[in-house]
Amino acid sequence: MSDVPTVVFILGPARSGTSLLYRLLCLHPEVSFTTNWNSRFPNVSAVASLQRATRASKALRGRWFQSDGNAYVYGRKRPLFERLIPAPVEGEPVFAAAGITEDATMIRPDAGQVLGERIASIARYAGGTHFINKRVANNRRVRLLHEALPAARFVTTVRD
């Protein structure tokens, strides 16, 4: 794997299917992503290695969805076991730790470089050749993300 993974950002309005698309793409064995663990510990990329457990277990990946296939599993009280499973999340703390705010400003001059390094590190620990992220705030930071990661791809969803 090269040092820089293929980076894909999923864009779209709220309630347009971006969460479902994100979680479905994260099922691919070569995809890395921000997890609940990365959000809790945004400066410790090594926690991304926990993704390897979900990659090895269909049962664990199945916990990312409700029994009806819904990608939102947060509307109910979940047992501790389910909360410990590495699952795809938007990962805003990872962006914030790199110095990028939700309103698309950089609070440090090297924020784009730091974000690129953080993404590469997450992918390396997770064992992925691709990195995918879905974050509603990314709709406002396309220009900033493109400047920071010029080879990144952007997938836009439209609710019809």
Side-chain angles (χ1 to χ4, degrees), residues 92 95-96 100-105 135-141:
E92 185 60 31
F95 290 87
I100 298 173
T101 66
E102 285 192 53
D103 67 354
T105 58
R135 174 76 183 118
V136 173
N138 288 345
N139 293 322
R140 294 184 299 274
R141 14 186 211 220

Side-chain angles (χ1 to χ4, degrees), residues 137-154:
N138 288 345
N139 293 322
R140 294 184 299 274
R141 14 186 211 220
V142 171
R143 183 181 326 198
L144 185 148
L145 294 171
H146 178 66
E147 289 171 4
L149 302 156
R153 296 177 182 171
F154 296 85

Side-chain angles (χ1 to χ4, degrees), residues 34-123:
T34 50
T35 70
N36 45 327
W37 289 96
N38 295 114
S39 285
R40 181 156 303 231
F41 303 104
N43 292 312
V44 184
S45 298
V47 297
S49 61
L50 296 170
Q51 289 181 40
R52 294 172 187 256
T54 56
R55 191 172 287 125
S57 171
K58 185 177 180 180
L60 291 179
R61 290 189 310 269
R63 298 290 184 148
W64 295 351
F65 303 92
Q66 290 183 16
S67 59
D68 64 357
N70 191 335
Y72 288 99
V73 294
Y74 304 110
R76 61 183 171 79
K77 183 158 177 70
R78 295 178 302 132
L80 177 62
F81 169 74
E82 284 188 17
R83 288 182 283 141
L84 293 175
I85 296 170
V89 298
E90 293 191 356
E92 185 60 31
V94 174
F95 290 87
I100 298 173
T101 66
E102 285 192 53
D103 67 354
T105 58
M106 292 191 290
I107 57 174
R108 51 189 284 182
D110 63 343
Q113 178 183 345
V114 172
L115 179 63
E117 291 169 357
R118 187 72 42 90
I119 286 172
S121 183
I122 288 171

